Amino acid sequence: MARAVLRFVEHRITRHPDADVTFEAECLRCDWQATPSPDGAAVDLECMSHTGRSGHNGFRRICTSFALVTRVGDDGDLSSLNEGVCPSSGVDEGSQRE
């Protein structure tokens, strides 16, 4: 009977260094949308301008970013995450016994 050895590794999540944050907004009363931008203040100004023109004061604000998960102590290279793992079963090959 094969046994699995469980191993707990500490990870951290950070913003992906090669991707920007994108800010967006849309009016809750009509179909108006702000132009997506990496500058949140620019999107906020568009919302305030829309309020001045329409009287609509409710907006859904969206902030999109991409994340990168790495093992604590690694240099950020994720290729080592699959070392020693059997691709078909996900079981650590070092823990399989005959």
Side-chain angles (χ1 to χ4, degrees), residues 3-65:
R3 291 187 178 185
V5 175
L6 299 179
R7 176 176 69 153
F8 297 93
V9 180
E10 216 177 316
H11 290 80
R12 67 176 175 203
I13 187 166
T14 59
R15 189 171 3 158
H16 196 289
D18 297 332
D20 290 328
V21 174
T22 302
F23 296 92
E24 303 172 68
E26 55 189 38
C27 181
L28 296 177
R29 294 189 56 197
C30 69
D31 291 333
W32 178 87
Q33 294 181 345
T35 304
S37 172
D39 182 8
V43 172
D44 289 346
L45 285 173
E46 284 190 52
C47 291
M48 290 185 274
S49 294
H50 180 70
T51 297
R53 288 190 309 272
S54 67
H56 301 166
N57 61 0
F59 299 90
R60 177 176 179 240
R61 292 172 35 174
I62 305 147
C63 175
T64 304
S65 66

Side-chain angles (χ1 to χ4, degrees), residues 64-85:
T64 304
S65 66
F66 295 90
L68 181 65
V69 175
T70 57
R71 288 182 180 176
V72 171
D74 276 359
D75 60 2
D77 180 17
L78 297 179
S79 62
S80 64
L81 291 178
N82 290 325
E83 288 179 4
V85 175

